[in-house]
mmCIF file of all heavy atoms in Angstrom:
data_model
loop_
_atom_site.group_PDB
_atom_site.id
_atom_site.type_symbol
_atom_site.label_atom_id
_atom_site.label_comp_id
_atom_site.label_asym_id
_atom_site.label_seq_id
_atom_site.Cartn_x
_atom_site.Cartn_y
_atom_site.Cartn_z
ATOM 1 N N ASN A 1301 107.797 97.208 99.269
ATOM 2 C CA ASN A 1301 108.578 98.322 99.803
ATOM 3 C C ASN A 1301 108.270 99.620 99.057
ATOM 4 O O ASN A 1301 107.584 99.623 98.036
ATOM 5 C CB ASN A 1301 110.074 98.000 99.706
ATOM 6 C CG ASN A 1301 110.460 96.819 100.579
ATOM 7 O OD1 ASN A 1301 110.258 96.844 101.779
ATOM 8 N ND2 ASN A 1301 111.019 95.780 99.961
ATOM 9 N N GLN A 1302 108.812 100.727 99.577
ATOM 10 C CA GLN A 1302 108.572 102.017 98.934
ATOM 11 C C GLN A 1302 109.104 102.027 97.505
ATOM 12 O O GLN A 1302 108.498 102.606 96.614
ATOM 13 C CB GLN A 1302 109.246 103.135 99.736
ATOM 14 C CG GLN A 1302 108.559 103.466 101.045
ATOM 15 C CD GLN A 1302 109.103 104.733 101.671
ATOM 16 O OE1 GLN A 1302 109.405 105.702 100.984
ATOM 17 N NE2 GLN A 1302 109.228 104.732 102.993
ATOM 18 N N GLN A 1303 110.233 101.393 97.294
ATOM 19 C CA GLN A 1303 110.838 101.338 95.969
ATOM 20 C C GLN A 1303 110.391 100.064 95.261
ATOM 21 O O GLN A 1303 110.487 98.976 95.822
ATOM 22 C CB GLN A 1303 112.363 101.363 96.087
ATOM 23 C CG GLN A 1303 113.098 101.364 94.767
ATOM 24 C CD GLN A 1303 112.891 102.649 93.978
ATOM 25 O OE1 GLN A 1303 112.837 103.734 94.546
ATOM 26 N NE2 GLN A 1303 112.765 102.527 92.667
ATOM 27 N N ASP A 1304 109.883 100.202 94.037
ATOM 28 C CA ASP A 1304 109.473 99.034 93.269
ATOM 29 C C ASP A 1304 110.686 98.441 92.553
ATOM 30 O O ASP A 1304 111.373 99.140 91.808
ATOM 31 C CB ASP A 1304 108.408 99.431 92.232
ATOM 32 C CG ASP A 1304 107.136 99.938 92.892
ATOM 33 O OD1 ASP A 1304 106.485 99.146 93.576
ATOM 34 O OD2 ASP A 1304 106.820 101.127 92.720
ATOM 35 N N TYR A 1305 110.934 97.163 92.793
ATOM 36 C CA TYR A 1305 112.076 96.500 92.177
ATOM 37 C C TYR A 1305 111.595 95.515 91.106
ATOM 38 O O TYR A 1305 111.167 94.408 91.419
ATOM 39 C CB TYR A 1305 112.895 95.764 93.237
ATOM 40 C CG TYR A 1305 113.497 96.688 94.271
ATOM 41 C CD1 TYR A 1305 112.912 96.830 95.525
ATOM 42 C CD2 TYR A 1305 114.639 97.433 93.982
ATOM 43 C CE1 TYR A 1305 113.462 97.687 96.467
ATOM 44 C CE2 TYR A 1305 115.188 98.290 94.915
ATOM 45 C CZ TYR A 1305 114.601 98.408 96.159
ATOM 46 O OH TYR A 1305 115.135 99.262 97.096
ATOM 47 N N HIS A 1306 111.642 95.946 89.860
ATOM 48 C CA HIS A 1306 111.259 95.089 88.738
ATOM 49 C C HIS A 1306 112.331 95.191 87.653
ATOM 50 O O HIS A 1306 113.006 96.217 87.522
ATOM 51 C CB HIS A 1306 109.901 95.509 88.160
ATOM 52 C CG HIS A 1306 108.775 95.459 89.138
ATOM 53 N ND1 HIS A 1306 108.350 94.297 89.723
ATOM 54 C CD2 HIS A 1306 107.985 96.455 89.642
ATOM 55 C CE1 HIS A 1306 107.351 94.561 90.555
ATOM 56 N NE2 HIS A 1306 107.111 95.853 90.516
ATOM 57 N N TRP A 1307 112.470 94.125 86.859
ATOM 58 C CA TRP A 1307 113.433 94.149 85.773
ATOM 59 C C TRP A 1307 112.939 95.108 84.696
ATOM 60 O O TRP A 1307 111.876 94.909 84.112
ATOM 61 C CB TRP A 1307 113.611 92.740 85.209
ATOM 62 C CG TRP A 1307 114.703 92.637 84.203
ATOM 63 C CD1 TRP A 1307 114.551 92.452 82.868
ATOM 64 C CD2 TRP A 1307 116.103 92.740 84.433
ATOM 65 N NE1 TRP A 1307 115.780 92.422 82.246
ATOM 66 C CE2 TRP A 1307 116.755 92.601 83.184
ATOM 67 C CE3 TRP A 1307 116.890 92.941 85.575
ATOM 68 C CZ2 TRP A 1307 118.147 92.664 83.049
ATOM 69 C CZ3 TRP A 1307 118.267 92.995 85.429
ATOM 70 C CH2 TRP A 1307 118.870 92.846 84.195
ATOM 71 N N PRO A 1308 113.680 96.178 84.404
ATOM 72 C CA PRO A 1308 113.169 97.248 83.527
ATOM 73 C C PRO A 1308 112.869 96.829 82.103
ATOM 74 O O PRO A 1308 112.049 97.454 81.434
ATOM 75 C CB PRO A 1308 114.291 98.301 83.577
ATOM 76 C CG PRO A 1308 115.512 97.567 84.004
ATOM 77 C CD PRO A 1308 115.033 96.490 84.914
ATOM 78 N N PHE A 1309 113.531 95.760 81.606
ATOM 79 C CA PHE A 1309 113.380 95.401 80.202
ATOM 80 C C PHE A 1309 112.271 94.379 79.964
ATOM 81 O O PHE A 1309 112.029 93.988 78.823
ATOM 82 C CB PHE A 1309 114.711 94.885 79.657
ATOM 83 C CG PHE A 1309 115.814 95.905 79.755
ATOM 84 C CD1 PHE A 1309 116.761 95.818 80.764
ATOM 85 C CD2 PHE A 1309 115.880 96.970 78.881
ATOM 86 C CE1 PHE A 1309 117.767 96.772 80.874
ATOM 87 C CE2 PHE A 1309 116.874 97.929 78.983
ATOM 88 C CZ PHE A 1309 117.819 97.830 79.987
ATOM 89 N N LEU A 1310 111.615 93.943 81.018
ATOM 90 C CA LEU A 1310 110.476 93.041 80.867
ATOM 91 C C LEU A 1310 109.192 93.855 80.763
ATOM 92 O O LEU A 1310 109.059 94.914 81.372
ATOM 93 C CB LEU A 1310 110.370 92.093 82.063
ATOM 94 C CG LEU A 1310 111.485 91.061 82.249
ATOM 95 C CD1 LEU A 1310 111.181 90.202 83.468
ATOM 96 C CD2 LEU A 1310 111.641 90.191 81.009
ATOM 97 N N THR A 1311 108.233 93.343 80.009
ATOM 98 C CA THR A 1311 106.924 93.988 79.968
ATOM 99 C C THR A 1311 106.169 93.646 81.239
ATOM 100 O O THR A 1311 106.567 92.756 82.008
ATOM 101 C CB THR A 1311 106.102 93.526 78.757
ATOM 102 O OG1 THR A 1311 105.806 92.123 78.910
ATOM 103 C CG2 THR A 1311 106.851 93.754 77.455
ATOM 104 N N CYS A 1312 105.058 94.330 81.411
ATOM 105 C CA CYS A 1312 104.201 94.090 82.563
ATOM 106 C C CYS A 1312 103.769 92.618 82.633
ATOM 107 O O CYS A 1312 103.912 91.955 83.666
ATOM 108 C CB CYS A 1312 102.989 95.012 82.463
ATOM 109 S SG CYS A 1312 101.830 94.871 83.799
ATOM 110 N N GLU A 1313 103.264 92.080 81.533
ATOM 111 C CA GLU A 1313 102.777 90.707 81.563
ATOM 112 C C GLU A 1313 103.910 89.691 81.657
ATOM 113 O O GLU A 1313 103.744 88.619 82.237
ATOM 114 C CB GLU A 1313 101.866 90.415 80.372
ATOM 115 C CG GLU A 1313 102.504 90.433 79.013
ATOM 116 C CD GLU A 1313 101.498 90.020 77.935
ATOM 117 O OE1 GLU A 1313 100.469 89.421 78.278
ATOM 118 O OE2 GLU A 1313 101.753 90.317 76.752
ATOM 119 N N GLU A 1314 105.085 90.012 81.108
ATOM 120 C CA GLU A 1314 106.226 89.109 81.252
ATOM 121 C C GLU A 1314 106.656 89.006 82.712
ATOM 122 O O GLU A 1314 106.994 87.921 83.208
ATOM 123 C CB GLU A 1314 107.399 89.602 80.395
ATOM 124 C CG GLU A 1314 107.217 89.349 78.904
ATOM 125 C CD GLU A 1314 108.289 90.028 78.069
ATOM 126 O OE1 GLU A 1314 108.955 90.966 78.576
ATOM 127 O OE2 GLU A 1314 108.461 89.627 76.902
ATOM 128 N N THR A 1315 106.638 90.133 83.416
ATOM 129 C CA THR A 1315 106.995 90.142 84.836
ATOM 130 C C THR A 1315 106.056 89.246 85.632
ATOM 131 O O THR A 1315 106.493 88.448 86.473
ATOM 132 C CB THR A 1315 106.939 91.583 85.394
ATOM 133 O OG1 THR A 1315 107.838 92.418 84.656
ATOM 134 C CG2 THR A 1315 107.316 91.617 86.862
ATOM 135 N N ILE A 1316 104.762 89.366 85.353
ATOM 136 C CA ILE A 1316 103.774 88.549 86.059
ATOM 137 C C ILE A 1316 103.916 87.082 85.687
ATOM 138 O O ILE A 1316 103.833 86.192 86.552
ATOM 139 C CB ILE A 1316 102.349 89.067 85.765
ATOM 140 C CG1 ILE A 1316 102.176 90.479 86.330
ATOM 141 C CG2 ILE A 1316 101.293 88.125 86.348
ATOM 142 C CD1 ILE A 1316 100.880 91.153 85.942
ATOM 143 N N GLU A 1317 104.153 86.803 84.407
ATOM 144 C CA GLU A 1317 104.291 85.418 83.965
ATOM 145 C C GLU A 1317 105.501 84.741 84.612
ATOM 146 O O GLU A 1317 105.422 83.592 85.052
ATOM 147 C CB GLU A 1317 104.426 85.373 82.446
ATOM 148 C CG GLU A 1317 104.496 83.961 81.887
ATOM 149 C CD GLU A 1317 104.445 83.922 80.365
ATOM 150 O OE1 GLU A 1317 103.901 84.877 79.772
ATOM 151 O OE2 GLU A 1317 104.956 82.943 79.795
ATOM 152 N N TYR A 1318 106.630 85.463 84.691
ATOM 153 C CA TYR A 1318 107.818 84.894 85.325
ATOM 154 C C TYR A 1318 107.573 84.649 86.808
ATOM 155 O O TYR A 1318 108.062 83.665 87.368
ATOM 156 C CB TYR A 1318 109.016 85.822 85.125
ATOM 157 C CG TYR A 1318 109.557 85.833 83.711
ATOM 158 C CD1 TYR A 1318 110.493 86.781 83.306
ATOM 159 C CD2 TYR A 1318 109.134 84.909 82.765
ATOM 160 C CE1 TYR A 1318 110.989 86.803 82.009
ATOM 161 C CE2 TYR A 1318 109.621 84.916 81.468
ATOM 162 C CZ TYR A 1318 110.543 85.868 81.097
ATOM 163 O OH TYR A 1318 111.021 85.871 79.815
ATOM 164 N N ALA A 1319 106.821 85.542 87.430
ATOM 165 C CA ALA A 1319 106.498 85.364 88.855
ATOM 166 C C ALA A 1319 105.631 84.123 89.059
ATOM 167 O O ALA A 1319 105.820 83.374 90.031
ATOM 168 C CB ALA A 1319 105.786 86.603 89.394
ATOM 169 N N ILE A 1320 104.687 83.899 88.153
ATOM 170 C CA ILE A 1320 103.843 82.697 88.230
ATOM 171 C C ILE A 1320 104.707 81.438 88.114
ATOM 172 O O ILE A 1320 104.550 80.483 88.879
ATOM 173 C CB ILE A 1320 102.763 82.720 87.125
ATOM 174 C CG1 ILE A 1320 101.763 83.850 87.372
ATOM 175 C CG2 ILE A 1320 102.033 81.374 87.061
ATOM 176 C CD1 ILE A 1320 100.780 84.079 86.228
ATOM 177 N N ASN A 1321 105.642 81.452 87.177
ATOM 178 C CA ASN A 1321 106.514 80.291 86.997
ATOM 179 C C ASN A 1321 107.443 80.076 88.188
ATOM 180 O O ASN A 1321 107.829 78.946 88.495
ATOM 181 C CB ASN A 1321 107.350 80.452 85.720
ATOM 182 C CG ASN A 1321 106.502 80.314 84.469
ATOM 183 O OD1 ASN A 1321 105.542 79.555 84.441
ATOM 184 N ND2 ASN A 1321 106.841 81.067 83.426
ATOM 185 N N LEU A 1322 107.779 81.173 88.871
ATOM 186 C CA LEU A 1322 108.652 81.070 90.039
ATOM 187 C C LEU A 1322 107.910 80.531 91.256
ATOM 188 O O LEU A 1322 108.387 79.606 91.927
ATOM 189 C CB LEU A 1322 109.245 82.444 90.368
ATOM 190 C CG LEU A 1322 110.091 82.527 91.649
ATOM 191 C CD1 LEU A 1322 111.335 81.663 91.520
ATOM 192 C CD2 LEU A 1322 110.462 83.975 91.943
ATOM 193 N N TYR A 1323 106.736 81.107 91.536
ATOM 194 C CA TYR A 1323 106.001 80.747 92.748
ATOM 195 C C TYR A 1323 105.110 79.521 92.572
ATOM 196 O O TYR A 1323 104.792 78.835 93.531
ATOM 197 C CB TYR A 1323 105.145 81.933 93.218
ATOM 198 C CG TYR A 1323 105.942 83.071 93.793
ATOM 199 C CD1 TYR A 1323 105.916 84.333 93.215
ATOM 200 C CD2 TYR A 1323 106.723 82.901 94.935
ATOM 201 C CE1 TYR A 1323 106.645 85.390 93.741
ATOM 202 C CE2 TYR A 1323 107.452 83.941 95.471
ATOM 203 C CZ TYR A 1323 107.409 85.191 94.876
ATOM 204 O OH TYR A 1323 108.132 86.232 95.400
ATOM 205 N N MET A 1324 104.659 79.262 91.348
ATOM 206 C CA MET A 1324 103.707 78.179 91.108
ATOM 207 C C MET A 1324 104.261 77.300 89.996
ATOM 208 O O MET A 1324 103.868 77.399 88.842
ATOM 209 C CB MET A 1324 102.341 78.763 90.736
ATOM 210 C CG MET A 1324 101.862 79.819 91.723
ATOM 211 S SD MET A 1324 100.301 80.606 91.256
ATOM 212 C CE MET A 1324 99.162 79.285 91.614
ATOM 213 N N LYS A 1325 105.162 76.419 90.338
ATOM 214 C CA LYS A 1325 105.992 75.726 89.353
ATOM 215 C C LYS A 1325 105.281 74.629 88.567
ATOM 216 O O LYS A 1325 105.792 74.155 87.566
ATOM 217 C CB LYS A 1325 107.212 75.140 90.064
ATOM 218 C CG LYS A 1325 108.076 76.213 90.713
ATOM 219 C CD LYS A 1325 109.235 75.605 91.471
ATOM 220 C CE LYS A 1325 110.068 76.681 92.142
ATOM 221 N NZ LYS A 1325 111.179 76.116 92.941
ATOM 222 N N LYS A 1326 104.093 74.200 88.974
ATOM 223 C CA LYS A 1326 103.456 73.053 88.330
ATOM 224 C C LYS A 1326 102.343 73.438 87.357
ATOM 225 O O LYS A 1326 101.614 72.586 86.875
ATOM 226 C CB LYS A 1326 102.915 72.096 89.395
ATOM 227 C CG LYS A 1326 104.010 71.473 90.256
ATOM 228 C CD LYS A 1326 103.436 70.479 91.261
ATOM 229 C CE LYS A 1326 104.541 69.875 92.116
ATOM 230 N NZ LYS A 1326 104.004 68.904 93.105
ATOM 231 N N ASN A 1327 102.202 74.711 87.073
ATOM 232 C CA ASN A 1327 101.136 75.137 86.172
ATOM 233 C C ASN A 1327 101.442 74.776 84.718
ATOM 234 O O ASN A 1327 102.587 74.849 84.276
ATOM 235 C CB ASN A 1327 100.940 76.663 86.264
ATOM 236 C CG ASN A 1327 100.338 77.069 87.594
ATOM 237 O OD1 ASN A 1327 100.902 76.796 88.636
ATOM 238 N ND2 ASN A 1327 99.198 77.721 87.550
ATOM 239 N N THR A 1328 100.383 74.432 83.965
ATOM 240 C CA THR A 1328 100.529 74.248 82.521
ATOM 241 C C THR A 1328 100.568 75.622 81.863
ATOM 242 O O THR A 1328 100.228 76.634 82.480
ATOM 243 C CB THR A 1328 99.349 73.447 81.956
ATOM 244 O OG1 THR A 1328 98.144 74.223 82.105
ATOM 245 C CG2 THR A 1328 99.199 72.106 82.681
ATOM 246 N N SER A 1329 100.961 75.659 80.597
ATOM 247 C CA SER A 1329 101.041 76.935 79.884
ATOM 248 C C SER A 1329 99.676 77.611 79.805
ATOM 249 O O SER A 1329 99.571 78.840 79.894
ATOM 250 C CB SER A 1329 101.611 76.722 78.481
ATOM 251 O OG SER A 1329 100.806 75.814 77.746
ATOM 252 N N GLU A 1330 98.623 76.815 79.675
ATOM 253 C CA GLU A 1330 97.276 77.385 79.610
ATOM 254 C C GLU A 1330 96.871 77.964 80.957
ATOM 255 O O GLU A 1330 96.255 79.040 81.032
ATOM 256 C CB GLU A 1330 96.274 76.301 79.186
ATOM 257 C CG GLU A 1330 94.869 76.825 78.902
ATOM 258 C CD GLU A 1330 94.808 77.767 77.708
ATOM 259 O OE1 GLU A 1330 95.685 77.678 76.825
ATOM 260 O OE2 GLU A 1330 93.880 78.595 77.659
ATOM 261 N N GLU A 1331 97.220 77.270 82.036
ATOM 262 C CA GLU A 1331 96.910 77.769 83.382
ATOM 263 C C GLU A 1331 97.677 79.050 83.673
ATOM 264 O O GLU A 1331 97.137 79.985 84.285
ATOM 265 C CB GLU A 1331 97.250 76.695 84.425
ATOM 266 C CG GLU A 1331 96.289 75.520 84.430
ATOM 267 C CD GLU A 1331 96.756 74.407 85.353
ATOM 268 O OE1 GLU A 1331 97.986 74.261 85.559
ATOM 269 O OE2 GLU A 1331 95.895 73.665 85.853
ATOM 270 N N VAL A 1332 98.937 79.111 83.243
ATOM 271 C CA VAL A 1332 99.738 80.316 83.428
ATOM 272 C C VAL A 1332 99.103 81.484 82.697
ATOM 273 O O VAL A 1332 98.972 82.588 83.238
ATOM 274 C CB VAL A 1332 101.188 80.093 82.933
ATOM 275 C CG1 VAL A 1332 101.951 81.425 82.888
ATOM 276 C CG2 VAL A 1332 101.914 79.107 83.823
ATOM 277 N N LYS A 1333 98.689 81.247 81.466
ATOM 278 C CA LYS A 1333 98.062 82.301 80.662
ATOM 279 C C LYS A 1333 96.780 82.801 81.315
ATOM 280 O O LYS A 1333 96.556 84.023 81.408
ATOM 281 C CB LYS A 1333 97.763 81.767 79.262
ATOM 282 C CG LYS A 1333 97.091 82.769 78.347
ATOM 283 C CD LYS A 1333 96.801 82.155 76.978
ATOM 284 C CE LYS A 1333 96.063 83.141 76.082
ATOM 285 N NZ LYS A 1333 95.751 82.538 74.762
ATOM 286 N N ASN A 1334 95.931 81.885 81.765
ATOM 287 C CA ASN A 1334 94.658 82.282 82.381
ATOM 288 C C ASN A 1334 94.878 83.051 83.681
ATOM 289 O O ASN A 1334 94.203 84.057 83.940
ATOM 290 C CB ASN A 1334 93.799 81.045 82.642
ATOM 291 C CG ASN A 1334 93.303 80.402 81.362
ATOM 292 O OD1 ASN A 1334 93.239 81.050 80.310
ATOM 293 N ND2 ASN A 1334 92.944 79.120 81.427
ATOM 294 N N LEU A 1335 95.816 82.568 84.501
ATOM 295 C CA LEU A 1335 96.092 83.247 85.771
ATOM 296 C C LEU A 1335 96.695 84.622 85.525
ATOM 297 O O LEU A 1335 96.332 85.602 86.190
ATOM 298 C CB LEU A 1335 97.035 82.398 86.626
ATOM 299 C CG LEU A 1335 97.419 82.976 87.992
ATOM 300 C CD1 LEU A 1335 96.178 83.243 88.838
ATOM 301 C CD2 LEU A 1335 98.365 82.028 88.727
ATOM 302 N N LYS A 1336 97.605 84.709 84.557
ATOM 303 C CA LYS A 1336 98.224 85.996 84.214
ATOM 304 C C LYS A 1336 97.158 87.002 83.795
ATOM 305 O O LYS A 1336 97.142 88.144 84.280
ATOM 306 C CB LYS A 1336 99.232 85.784 83.083
ATOM 307 C CG LYS A 1336 99.871 87.059 82.566
ATOM 308 C CD LYS A 1336 100.829 86.747 81.429
ATOM 309 C CE LYS A 1336 100.086 86.219 80.206
ATOM 310 N NZ LYS A 1336 100.983 85.968 79.060
ATOM 311 N N ASN A 1337 96.250 86.599 82.924
ATOM 312 C CA ASN A 1337 95.196 87.501 82.461
ATOM 313 C C ASN A 1337 94.264 87.916 83.591
ATOM 314 O O ASN A 1337 93.822 89.065 83.657
ATOM 315 C CB ASN A 1337 94.395 86.835 81.335
ATOM 316 C CG ASN A 1337 95.200 86.687 80.063
ATOM 317 O OD1 ASN A 1337 96.139 87.433 79.817
ATOM 318 N ND2 ASN A 1337 94.844 85.712 79.232
ATOM 319 N N LYS A 1338 93.979 86.965 84.479
ATOM 320 C CA LYS A 1338 93.101 87.256 85.615
ATOM 321 C C LYS A 1338 93.717 88.304 86.532
ATOM 322 O O LYS A 1338 93.040 89.269 86.939
ATOM 323 C CB LYS A 1338 92.833 85.965 86.387
ATOM 324 C CG LYS A 1338 91.974 86.153 87.626
ATOM 325 C CD LYS A 1338 91.808 84.828 88.364
ATOM 326 C CE LYS A 1338 91.011 85.021 89.657
ATOM 327 N NZ LYS A 1338 90.896 83.736 90.412
ATOM 328 N N ILE A 1339 94.999 88.147 86.835
ATOM 329 C CA ILE A 1339 95.669 89.075 87.755
ATOM 330 C C ILE A 1339 95.846 90.444 87.111
ATOM 331 O O ILE A 1339 95.644 91.481 87.767
ATOM 332 C CB ILE A 1339 97.018 88.488 88.212
ATOM 333 C CG1 ILE A 1339 96.766 87.299 89.133
ATOM 334 C CG2 ILE A 1339 97.872 89.539 88.912
ATOM 335 C CD1 ILE A 1339 98.012 86.560 89.558
ATOM 336 N N ILE A 1340 96.179 90.469 85.833
ATOM 337 C CA ILE A 1340 96.312 91.748 85.134
ATOM 338 C C ILE A 1340 95.000 92.529 85.206
ATOM 339 O O ILE A 1340 94.991 93.749 85.420
ATOM 340 C CB ILE A 1340 96.735 91.517 83.663
ATOM 341 C CG1 ILE A 1340 98.214 91.122 83.600
ATOM 342 C CG2 ILE A 1340 96.494 92.758 82.814
ATOM 343 C CD1 ILE A 1340 98.693 90.732 82.223
ATOM 344 N N LYS A 1341 93.882 91.828 85.040
ATOM 345 C CA LYS A 1341 92.576 92.479 85.126
ATOM 346 C C LYS A 1341 92.280 92.925 86.554
ATOM 347 O O LYS A 1341 91.752 94.025 86.768
ATOM 348 C CB LYS A 1341 91.488 91.524 84.639
ATOM 349 C CG LYS A 1341 90.101 92.155 84.590
ATOM 350 C CD LYS A 1341 89.075 91.189 83.994
ATOM 351 C CE LYS A 1341 87.695 91.839 83.922
ATOM 352 N NZ LYS A 1341 86.686 90.914 83.350
ATOM 353 N N GLN A 1342 92.622 92.091 87.542
ATOM 354 C CA GLN A 1342 92.337 92.421 88.941
ATOM 355 C C GLN A 1342 93.009 93.714 89.385
ATOM 356 O O GLN A 1342 92.431 94.490 90.141
ATOM 357 C CB GLN A 1342 92.782 91.273 89.857
ATOM 358 C CG GLN A 1342 91.829 90.088 89.865
ATOM 359 C CD GLN A 1342 92.348 88.951 90.719
ATOM 360 O OE1 GLN A 1342 93.559 88.722 90.804
ATOM 361 N NE2 GLN A 1342 91.451 88.223 91.341
ATOM 362 N N VAL A 1343 94.239 93.934 88.922
ATOM 363 C CA VAL A 1343 94.973 95.124 89.362
ATOM 364 C C VAL A 1343 94.911 96.266 88.349
ATOM 365 O O VAL A 1343 95.576 97.292 88.518
ATOM 366 C CB VAL A 1343 96.450 94.782 89.671
ATOM 367 C CG1 VAL A 1343 96.545 93.805 90.824
ATOM 368 C CG2 VAL A 1343 97.164 94.228 88.452
ATOM 369 N N GLY A 1344 94.110 96.102 87.312
ATOM 370 C CA GLY A 1344 93.877 97.193 86.370
ATOM 371 C C GLY A 1344 95.067 97.544 85.494
ATOM 372 O O GLY A 1344 95.348 98.725 85.261
ATOM 373 N N LEU A 1345 95.761 96.524 84.980
ATOM 374 C CA LEU A 1345 96.929 96.772 84.137
ATOM 375 C C LEU A 1345 96.705 96.369 82.681
ATOM 376 O O LEU A 1345 97.665 96.216 81.919
ATOM 377 C CB LEU A 1345 98.149 96.013 84.694
ATOM 378 C CG LEU A 1345 98.726 96.531 86.011
ATOM 379 C CD1 LEU A 1345 99.797 95.579 86.529
ATOM 380 C CD2 LEU A 1345 99.293 97.941 85.849
ATOM 381 N N GLU A 1346 95.446 96.206 82.262
ATOM 382 C CA GLU A 1346 95.162 95.761 80.896
ATOM 383 C C GLU A 1346 95.748 96.710 79.841
ATOM 384 O O GLU A 1346 96.267 96.260 78.826
ATOM 385 C CB GLU A 1346 93.651 95.642 80.654
ATOM 386 C CG GLU A 1346 92.950 94.611 81.514
ATOM 387 C CD GLU A 1346 92.214 95.268 82.669
ATOM 388 O OE1 GLU A 1346 92.768 96.219 83.259
ATOM 389 O OE2 GLU A 1346 91.108 94.821 82.974
ATOM 390 N N SER A 1347 95.664 98.001 80.090
ATOM 391 C CA SER A 1347 96.081 98.975 79.077
ATOM 392 C C SER A 1347 97.593 99.035 78.887
ATOM 393 O O SER A 1347 98.070 99.580 77.892
ATOM 394 C CB SER A 1347 95.560 100.367 79.444
ATOM 395 O OG SER A 1347 96.137 100.806 80.663
ATOM 396 N N CYS A 1348 98.355 98.483 79.842
ATOM 397 C CA CYS A 1348 99.819 98.576 79.746
ATOM 398 C C CYS A 1348 100.481 97.207 79.842
ATOM 399 O O CYS A 1348 101.654 97.111 80.181
ATOM 400 C CB CYS A 1348 100.364 99.514 80.827
ATOM 401 S SG CYS A 1348 99.949 99.006 82.504
ATOM 402 N N ARG A 1349 99.754 96.169 79.522
ATOM 403 C CA ARG A 1349 100.275 94.820 79.699
ATOM 404 C C ARG A 1349 101.517 94.563 78.844
ATOM 405 O O ARG A 1349 102.382 93.775 79.204
ATOM 406 C CB ARG A 1349 99.197 93.784 79.405
ATOM 407 C CG ARG A 1349 98.644 93.798 78.000
ATOM 408 C CD ARG A 1349 97.483 92.823 77.853
ATOM 409 N NE ARG A 1349 97.909 91.463 78.165
ATOM 410 C CZ ARG A 1349 97.127 90.540 78.718
ATOM 411 N NH1 ARG A 1349 95.877 90.839 79.018
ATOM 412 N NH2 ARG A 1349 97.578 89.335 78.944
ATOM 413 N N GLU A 1350 101.641 95.243 77.695
ATOM 414 C CA GLU A 1350 102.782 95.027 76.820
ATOM 415 C C GLU A 1350 103.832 96.129 76.940
ATOM 416 O O GLU A 1350 104.790 96.175 76.170
ATOM 417 C CB GLU A 1350 102.307 94.913 75.369
ATOM 418 C CG GLU A 1350 101.406 93.699 75.130
ATOM 419 C CD GLU A 1350 100.962 93.578 73.691
ATOM 420 O OE1 GLU A 1350 101.353 94.441 72.878
ATOM 421 O OE2 GLU A 1350 100.225 92.622 73.377
ATOM 422 N N THR A 1351 103.660 96.994 77.944
ATOM 423 C CA THR A 1351 104.625 98.071 78.173
ATOM 424 C C THR A 1351 105.755 97.583 79.061
ATOM 425 O O THR A 1351 105.522 96.911 80.060
ATOM 426 C CB THR A 1351 103.932 99.273 78.851
ATOM 427 O OG1 THR A 1351 102.835 99.710 78.045
ATOM 428 C CG2 THR A 1351 104.905 100.423 79.054
ATOM 429 N N LYS A 1352 106.982 97.913 78.683
ATOM 430 C CA LYS A 1352 108.121 97.538 79.516
ATOM 431 C C LYS A 1352 108.122 98.355 80.813
ATOM 432 O O LYS A 1352 107.642 99.486 80.833
ATOM 433 C CB LYS A 1352 109.432 97.751 78.758
ATOM 434 C CG LYS A 1352 109.627 96.766 77.603
ATOM 435 C CD LYS A 1352 110.970 96.948 76.923
ATOM 436 C CE LYS A 1352 111.149 95.923 75.809
ATOM 437 N NZ LYS A 1352 112.460 96.070 75.128
ATOM 438 N N VAL A 1353 108.685 97.780 81.855
ATOM 439 C CA VAL A 1353 108.707 98.450 83.159
ATOM 440 C C VAL A 1353 109.427 99.784 83.064
ATOM 441 O O VAL A 1353 108.951 100.809 83.551
ATOM 442 C CB VAL A 1353 109.385 97.549 84.211
ATOM 443 C CG1 VAL A 1353 109.589 98.320 85.518
ATOM 444 C CG2 VAL A 1353 108.539 96.305 84.459
#
Side-chain angles (χ1 to χ4, degrees):
N1301 295 302
Q1302 287 191 39
Q1303 182 67 38
D1304 296 295
Y1305 297 101
H1306 301 297
W1307 187 251
F1309 300 102
L1310 293 181
T1311 65
C1312 181
E1313 66 176 342
E1314 285 172 341
T1315 301
I1316 295 172
E1317 183 172 335
Y1318 287 169
I1320 293 172
N1321 289 327
L1322 175 64
Y1323 289 119
M1324 309 176 74
K1325 299 177 181 178
K1326 296 183 180 180
N1327 290 59
T1328 66
S1329 59
E1330 188 65 25
E1331 288 173 331
V1332 170
K1333 179 181 177 181
N1334 291 338
L1335 180 58
K1336 176 181 66 177
N1337 291 335
K1338 178 182 177 182
I1339 290 175
I1340 286 174
K1341 184 176 181 180
Q1342 283 177 326
V1343 297
L1345 290 172
E1346 297 102 320
S1347 64
C1348 59
R1349 61 186 301 148
E1350 296 181 0
T1351 303
K1352 291 183 178 180
V1353 172

